[in-house]
Amino acid sequence: MTNNQKLKRKPLGFLLVILAWSLAMGWLLAMATHAQGKLPTSSEVGTVDVVPAQQRLGQELYLENCSTCHIALPPAVLPTQTWKNLLEDSQHYGVQIKPLVDPPRILVWRYLSAFSRPQLLEDEQIPYRVGNSRYFRALHPQVKLPKPVQ
């Protein structure tokens, strides 16, 4: 074999190594981006916080019962104590409603208490309306609610 033939084989081998390496890297990159670009499940669509399986029924019951008359607020906009008061009160913002009874009430309470915020300030009055909630004002500083809210 002459020196000229040896030189011709080296670039061919080098190109095969580059091709194999490129294919391997492309495959790894495709695997990594496919895992990150996974489509959300139907239970994750439309919510900021992914609700654990054990609280999904509570979320569904909350949405089913509350969104028939008004927008069902995310639990984080009101403190936990407000949600507790609302679940126990049959006078819902001036309207007589049929309160939830156990076990649905317990499931809704578990969902609301898991995703709401505690009332951290001792001297702060527990808000009954969204406009009085410091959480709502912090999350939506540009929203000005009319008084009374219609």
Side-chain angles (χ1 to χ4, degrees):
M1 210 181 256
T2 65
N3 283 339
N4 197 15
Q5 287 177 336
K6 288 181 180 177
L7 289 175
K8 286 183 182 177
R9 281 191 184 174
K10 287 182 181 179
L12 183 61
F14 182 68
L15 287 174
L16 287 174
V17 169
I18 289 177
L19 179 64
W21 183 80
S22 297
L23 288 172
M25 293 305 290
W27 179 73
L28 288 172
L29 184 61
M31 295 288 288
T33 57
H34 178 70
Q36 290 177 355
K38 182 182 158 227
L39 293 174
T41 63
S42 61
S43 64
E44 295 171 347
V45 174
T47 182
V48 175
D49 299 315
V50 177
V51 178
Q54 67 268 22
Q55 293 175 339
R56 285 193 191 127
L57 182 56
Q59 180 190 35
E60 290 172 17
L61 288 168
Y62 167 70
L63 293 172
E64 181 182 306
N65 283 282
C66 298
S67 64
T68 56
C69 297
H70 58 78
I71 294 172
L73 296 171
V77 301
L78 290 170
T80 308
Q81 187 60 42
T82 299
W83 290 114
K84 184 175 187 294
N85 294 345
L86 288 172
L87 281 175
E88 294 173 348
D89 192 5
S90 63
Q91 281 293 325
H92 191 70
Y93 296 105
V95 177
Q96 181 72 30
I97 62 169
K98 182 180 175 192
L100 285 173
V101 293
D102 295 342
R105 185 181 62 86
I106 293 171
L107 294 170
V108 171
W109 169 245
R110 286 182 183 160
Y111 165 69
L112 291 172
S113 63
F115 288 93
S116 60
R117 302 163 190 259
Q119 191 78 16
L120 296 177
L121 304 176
E122 291 179 24
D123 60 338
E124 185 178 22
Q125 192 174 15
I126 296 169
Y128 185 64
R129 300 215 177 260
V130 173
N132 299 336
S133 169
R134 67 182 166 94
Y135 297 126
F136 181 81
R137 289 192 306 267
L139 291 169
H140 306 286
Q142 301 299 322
V143 174
K144 305 294 183 218
L145 296 172
K147 298 204 191 278
V149 176
Q150 302 286 324

